[in-house]
């Protein structure tokens, strides 16, 4: 027996087994306890309430929703709203983060100081305060409907939100949009093939030889096939409000702006740290071989830096997604605030908290999965 | 055209108010092998790094193969194609295979076709006797192998001048020889070499001249045998007595 217990592997297994046993025990106890308490108070358990009528309105929704729809649909509206913030927000936060991180390392003195100032101040102001600030700017400081600012032709900003034109035939345009996305992805793929071919043949093709641009005919073709819809829905002042076009509400705009400004400061710092963590010798070796600064950054430094940057960047992507639940403070209907309302109305606290946990967990796992796939490409072989 | 491939004329360089290079004059003929030694911090690295413009200098002039080294980006690009460098810490690109390390610059900078670049790379890998490792990553090689790869990598740009900055100082003693052997072989093939090293055996075997630097100046210069056997300068004597125990 003693001999077995001294075996490293067997010992590790025994400890793992004990840990598992304890965790199961604790959860079993908690579950049993809750169950009996709820029974005593006559509170129904289970997710049956999701089929009941929600009975509350939601300020903005990407799908059609009425107050007599079910709780399930209400929560789904909230999930879509959260996804909208998370996807647009993270895309912008990573983009601006990397840009600001790179400027922090640039040779340009002014750019360096500005980025440093940005990172230092923004990181040190609590996010909630920034959200209140932007919400106040959007609702209090912006001009009223009649005096709306026209930022660009036909794009209006006032205290009711940001308005911009969209095509009337949204269905056709969603197909065109998909075609555009496909052609962008296809273009990058073809460009890769072209660069490979150039390297193989050792010459650079002229602009006209770059037939890859032809792939952008795909969305144009789609547009023709769909009967070339061209009618545009412009926002315009009618009566006391704007009608037409698409509107980002002040709540959405303030939330996205606040989250992007806050998170991009962290992303910038991650970029800066990632790039500075690469040994100076890598830049020097590249320069000594005659490789230009931008090529060095692209081919030698960034691929190595990304390896260091991806884990903290993933954290920030998750952070932004989770921080979007501060939406409740400025009245944006994200799924946490809608589930909260549901919880208040139905009293199904445990189920609602469970729903929130499951949805966040799925979002986190999905994000980690995608980022891990990405990270695999940047692993370095060591012996 | 003069037969000097490198002409340094009264180069002065400061780091803030620290005077690193003081009136450094050095002419190197085509095919000449120069060994530079001197105490740590005397400016040896700084001087050779001026030649491929990894360092700027504030005063003086420097011509490399007829190209004036100044702020002109075109000149800097041109000179870097002609001058290869081998570093103390190898500085291989760890995320690329050995072969990719070698073909990157020729394909990117000189636009050599990939197949041709790979053939050339394999030739140089064979020259440094490491052809069987082409598809490994730098992290999988020993120090001596890494340094030989680094030498092959700089050869792939077919440089006219090769700079070595203490190429064997970071190696375990048993690996020094394999790297020096490669360097001797290269020296015999006639390439111009400037090498910062304290390997006396190497200096005696290949150097045409040995320079001694101290406090930012070249204080003594001689053929290797006279340099090591009867140094004239006090500081050289002092230094040599320290490295020969
Ligand atoms: N980037 C730098 N900033 C300030 N001082 C430096 C820098 N690089 C080198 N030095 C100083 O310049 C002197 C010469 O350095 P170096 O050329 O590396 O000497 P060596 O190669 O002979 O050991 C040293 O005293 C070193 O501290
Ligand atoms: Mg040095």
């Amino acid at each position: 027996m003693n001999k077995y217990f001294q075996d490293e592997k067997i010992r590790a297994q025994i400890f793992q087994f004990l840990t598992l046993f304890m965790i199961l025990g604790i959860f079993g106890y908690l579950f049993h306890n809750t169950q009996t308490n709820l029974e005593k108070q006559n509170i129904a358990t289970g997710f049956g309430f999701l089929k009941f009528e929600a009975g509350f309105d939601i300020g903005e929704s990407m799908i059609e929703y009425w107050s007599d729809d079910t709780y399930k649909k209400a929560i789904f509206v909230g999930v879509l709203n959260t996804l909208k913030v998370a996807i647009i927000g993270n895309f912008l936060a990573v983009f601006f983060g990397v840009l600001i991180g790179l400027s922090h390392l640039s040779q340009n003195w002014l750019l360096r100081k500005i980025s440093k100032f940005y990172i230092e101040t923004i990181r040190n102001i609590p996010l909630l305060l920034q959200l209140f600030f932007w919400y106040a700017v959007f609702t209090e400081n912006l001009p009223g409907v009649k005096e709306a600012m026209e930022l660009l032709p036909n794009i209006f900003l006032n205290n009711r939100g940001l308005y911009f034109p969209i095509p009337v035939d949204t269905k056709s345009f969603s197909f065109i949009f998909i075609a555009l996305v496909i052609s962008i992805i296809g273009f990058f793929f073809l460009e890769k093939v072209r660069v490979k071919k150039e390297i193989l043949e050792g010459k650079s093709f002229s602009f006209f030889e770059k037939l890859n641009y032809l792939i952008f005919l795909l969305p144009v073709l789609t547009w023709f096939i769909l009967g070339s819809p061209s009618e545009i829905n412009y926002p315009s002042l009618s009566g006391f409000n704007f009608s037409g076009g698409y509107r980002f509400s002040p709540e959405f705009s303030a939330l996205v702006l606040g989250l992007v400004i806050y998170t991009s400061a962290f992303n910038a710092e991650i970029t800066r740290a990632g790039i500075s963590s690469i040994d100076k010798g890598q830049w020097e070796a590249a320069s000594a071989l005659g490789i230009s600064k931008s090529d060095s950054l692209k081919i030698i430094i960034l691929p190595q830096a990304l390896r260091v940057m991806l884990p903290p960047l993933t954290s920030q992507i998750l952070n932004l997604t989770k921080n979007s639940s501060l939406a409740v403070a400025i009245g944006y209907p994200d799924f946490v605030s809608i589930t909260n309302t549901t919880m208040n109305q139905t009293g199904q606290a445990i189920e609602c908290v469970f729903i929130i946990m499951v949805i966040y967990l799925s979002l986190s796992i999905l994000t980690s999965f995608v980022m891990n796939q990405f990270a695999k490409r940047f692993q370095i072989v060591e012996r | 055209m003069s037969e000097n491939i490198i002409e340094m004329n009264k180069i002065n360089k400061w780091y803030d108010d620290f005077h690193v290079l003081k009136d450094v004059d050095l002419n190197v003929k085509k095919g000449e092998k120069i060994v530079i030694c001197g105490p740590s911090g005397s400016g040896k690295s700084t001087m050779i790094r001026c030649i491929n413009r990894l360092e700027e200098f504030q005063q003086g002039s420097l011509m490399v193969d007829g190209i004036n080294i100044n702020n002109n980006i075109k000149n800097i690009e041109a000179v870097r194609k002609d001058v290869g460098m081998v570093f103390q810490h190898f500085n291989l690109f760890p995320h690329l295979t050995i072969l990719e390390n070698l073909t990157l610059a020729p394909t990117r900078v000189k636009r050599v076709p990939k197949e041709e670049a790979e053939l050339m790379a394999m030739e140089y890998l064979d020259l440094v006797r490491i052809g069987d490792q082409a598809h490994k990553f730098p992290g999988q090689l020993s120090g001596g192998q890494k340094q030989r790869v680094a030498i092959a990598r700089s050869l792939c740009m077919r440089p006219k001048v090769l700079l070595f900055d203490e190429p064997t100082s970071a190696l375990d003693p048993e690996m020094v020889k394999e790297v020096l052997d490669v360097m001797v072989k290269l020296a015999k093939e006639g390439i111009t070499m400037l090498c910062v090293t304290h390997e006396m055996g190497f200096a005696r075997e290949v150097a045409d001249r040995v320079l001694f630097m101290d406090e930012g100046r070249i204080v003594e210069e001689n053929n290797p045998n006279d340099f090591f056997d009867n140094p004239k300068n006090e500081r050289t004597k002092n230094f040599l007595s320290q490295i020969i125990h």
Side-chain angles (χ1 to χ4, degrees):
Chain A
M1 184 65 201
N2 209 353
K3 193 177 126 210
Y4 278 124
F5 204 67
Q6 279 168 3
D7 184 310
E8 206 179 4
K9 277 188 191 148
I10 294 177
R11 213 163 138 154
Q13 276 170 358
I14 291 174
F15 280 120
Q16 282 188 29
F17 184 75
L18 284 178
T19 318
L20 184 72
F21 192 74
M22 266 159 55
I23 292 174
L24 284 179
I26 292 170
F27 271 95
Y29 171 75
L30 286 177
F31 184 76
H32 176 75
N33 215 10
T34 329
Q35 193 79 10
T36 34
N37 278 341
L38 287 175
E39 265 166 32
K40 263 187 222 157
Q41 294 172 25
N42 272 332
I43 296 179
T45 50
F47 292 94
F49 70 97
L50 285 175
K51 288 202 285 293
F52 300 155
E53 184 183 315
F56 55 82
D57 277 316
I58 298 178
E60 57 188 287
S61 166
M62 285 160 62
I63 55 174
E64 207 161 320
Y65 169 86
W66 304 102
S67 62
D68 55 4
D69 279 327
T70 60
Y71 283 120
K72 197 160 94 188
K73 185 148 183 205
I75 292 175
F76 183 63
V77 167
V79 171
L80 287 181
N81 281 345
T82 295
L83 283 177
K84 181 165 137 190
V85 171
I87 291 170
I88 297 180
N90 273 317
F91 183 77
L92 294 174
V94 170
F95 179 79
F96 285 109
V98 171
L99 215 63
I100 295 163
L102 287 176
S103 354
H104 195 227
L105 294 168
S106 94
Q107 313 260 329
N108 185 321
W109 182 86
L110 187 65
L111 213 56
R112 224 164 46 224
K113 291 293 160 195
I114 292 175
S115 346
K116 189 172 162 150
F117 178 76
Y118 176 86
I119 294 172
E120 291 307 325
T121 27
I122 296 296
R123 276 201 309 173
N124 288 306
I125 303 172
L127 174 58
L128 190 57
L129 205 64
Q130 296 192 34
L131 289 179
F132 281 139
F133 172 78
W134 290 116
Y135 188 57
V137 167
F138 269 91
T139 51
E140 313 273 338
N141 292 20
L142 288 182
V145 173
K146 291 244 160 91
E147 300 86 31
M149 294 192 273
E150 190 165 5
L151 296 179
L152 293 166
N154 289 312
I155 297 182
F156 296 94
L157 185 63
N158 64 31
N159 59 13
R160 300 234 177 126
L162 181 70
Y163 296 79
F164 46 90
I166 52 161
V168 174
D169 187 358
T170 42
K171 206 164 222 158
S172 301
F173 270 90
S174 53
F175 285 120
I176 295 168
F177 181 74
I178 292 170
L180 185 68
V181 171
I182 291 174
S183 55
I184 289 173
I185 296 171
F187 178 72
F188 278 107
F189 176 75
L190 288 174
E191 276 296 282
K192 240 185 166 166
V193 175
R194 176 182 68 78
V195 170
K196 245 192 199 142
K197 209 168 148 198
E198 275 187 5
I199 288 175
L200 275 175
E201 293 176 19
K203 60 180 183 209
S204 80
F205 297 159
S206 76
F207 180 80
F208 291 103
E209 282 174 288
K210 293 177 183 167
L211 296 174
N212 297 344
Y213 289 102
L214 286 181
I215 195 169
F216 287 108
L217 284 179
L218 184 67
V220 179
L221 224 65
T222 318
W223 179 70
F224 266 114
I225 290 169
L226 292 171
S228 41
S230 58
E231 220 178 323
I232 301 268
N233 187 353
Y234 290 104
S236 63
L237 191 61
S238 68
F240 293 110
N241 209 342
F242 269 85
S243 65
Y246 191 81
R247 180 180 79 116
F248 280 154
S249 68
E251 292 80 15
F252 175 84
S253 312
L255 184 62
V256 167
L257 193 66
L259 287 171
V260 166
I261 289 179
Y262 182 72
T263 315
S264 59
F266 289 88
N267 290 347
E269 192 58 7
I270 290 169
T271 308
R272 189 197 62 73
I275 289 176
S276 339
S277 76
I278 305 304
D279 181 33
K280 227 172 66 216
Q282 295 286 309
W283 286 101
E284 289 178 353
S287 298
L289 287 165
I291 299 170
S292 70
K293 267 235 139 99
S294 61
D295 271 359
S296 304
L297 184 68
K298 221 165 52 193
I299 311 169
I300 292 159
I301 306 300
L302 268 182
Q304 293 182 63
L306 270 177
R307 192 174 49 111
V308 191
M309 284 162 59
L310 280 178
L313 215 51
T314 308
S315 300
Q316 287 306 325
I317 288 175
L318 293 174
N319 270 351
L320 187 147
T321 310
K322 285 179 286 185
N323 284 338
S324 73
S325 64
L326 288 174
V328 72
I330 56 174
Y332 177 74
D334 82 318
F335 91 88
V336 175
S337 88
I338 290 177
T339 314
N340 261 325
T341 313
T342 307
M343 177 158 73
N344 291 337
Q345 290 191 1
T346 60
Q348 306 281 356
I350 294 182
E351 288 80 359
C352 287
V353 171
F354 184 76
I355 290 173
I356 295 178
M357 272 168 46
V358 166
I359 290 176
Y360 270 137
L361 197 63
S362 330
L363 285 181
S364 299
I365 290 175
L366 192 73
T367 312
S368 302
F369 177 76
V370 172
M371 295 301 278
N372 281 342
Q373 291 313 103
F374 201 53
K376 271 193 193 145
R377 296 187 46 195
F378 295 102
Q379 266 160 10
I380 289 182
V381 182
E382 304 273 358
R383 54 167 168 178
Chain B
M1 218 179 99
S2 71
E3 59 172 338
N4 285 335
I5 194 159
I6 297 173
E7 290 185 358
M8 273 191 194
N9 204 337
K10 293 225 175 316
I11 284 190
N12 280 281
K13 175 178 172 68
W14 287 263
Y15 283 119
D16 297 319
D17 50 7
F18 176 60
H19 202 167
V20 217
L21 296 179
K22 301 168 185 162
D23 283 337
V24 174
D25 279 313
L26 174 66
N27 291 332
V28 181
K29 291 194 196 71
K30 239 179 210 147
E32 223 181 349
K33 326 283 177 249
I34 311 275
V35 162
I36 301 149
C37 58
S40 167
S42 56
K44 308 178 297 291
S45 301
T46 310
M47 181 186 78
I48 66 165
R49 287 156 60 92
C50 285
I51 297 171
N52 62 352
R53 196 52 198 266
L54 287 185
E55 302 285 349
E56 294 174 27
F57 50 88
Q58 284 86 29
Q59 279 175 18
S61 71
L62 172 54
M63 299 279 282
V64 178
D65 196 28
I67 304 164
N68 192 0
I69 312 277
N70 49 25
N71 288 328
N72 187 317
I73 297 172
K74 280 272 166 282
N75 288 5
I76 296 174
E77 274 175 13
V79 87
R80 283 180 178 166
K81 279 187 200 166
D82 282 354
V83 179
M85 184 160 203
V86 175
F87 300 84
Q88 182 177 359
H89 296 286
F90 332 127
N91 298 346
L92 296 178
F93 307 131
H95 60 304
L96 302 177
T97 64
I98 301 306
L99 193 62
E100 287 166 343
N101 263 277
L102 267 68
T103 54
L104 180 65
T107 53
R108 278 276 163 175
V109 181
K110 286 188 165 174
R111 295 200 165 277
V112 176
K114 189 168 179 205
E115 271 170 36
E116 202 177 298
E118 282 181 350
L119 281 176
M120 175 174 69
M122 287 311 297
E123 241 167 68
Y124 284 121
L125 283 178
D126 287 337
L127 179 82
V128 301
R129 293 195 307 277
I130 211 162
D132 49 340
Q133 316 277 0
H135 296 285
K136 287 195 179 166
F137 285 87
Q140 298 167 303
L141 303 186
S142 72
Q145 290 174 320
K146 281 185 201 167
Q147 195 58 300
R148 285 185 279 146
V149 169
I151 293 172
R153 180 176 68 178
S154 54
L155 290 175
C156 280
M157 289 296 280
R158 300 201 192 279
K160 295 181 179 149
V161 179
L162 259 185
L163 309 173
F164 292 84
D165 192 357
E166 307 205 29
T168 56
S169 308
L171 297 177
D172 291 336
E174 77 271 19
M175 294 172 181
V176 170
K177 188 172 176 299
E178 63 187 54
V179 172
L180 289 179
D181 284 348
V182 167
M183 289 167 61
V184 170
K185 194 149 82 177
L186 284 179
K188 301 223 157 112
E189 291 188 1
I191 191 169
T192 311
M193 271 166 77
L194 280 86
C195 184
V196 176
T197 182
H198 296 146
E199 295 292 339
M200 284 201 315
F202 172 79
R204 282 186 198 265
E205 187 171 354
V206 306
D208 297 306
R209 275 187 285 160
V210 181
L211 311 183
F212 180 74
M213 276 190 84
D214 192 31
E215 293 180 355
R217 278 181 217 281
I218 298 176
V219 293
E220 182 160 358
E221 138 169 20
N222 215 330
N223 65 64
N225 290 334
D226 288 339
F227 181 89
F228 291 113
D229 299 337
N230 355 271
K232 294 180 210 95
N233 191 296
E234 264 324 297
R235 284 185 281 185
T236 319
K237 282 181 198 164
N238 231 323
F239 177 75
L240 288 177
S241 71
Q242 277 166 9
I243 62 167
I244 313 165
H245 336 272

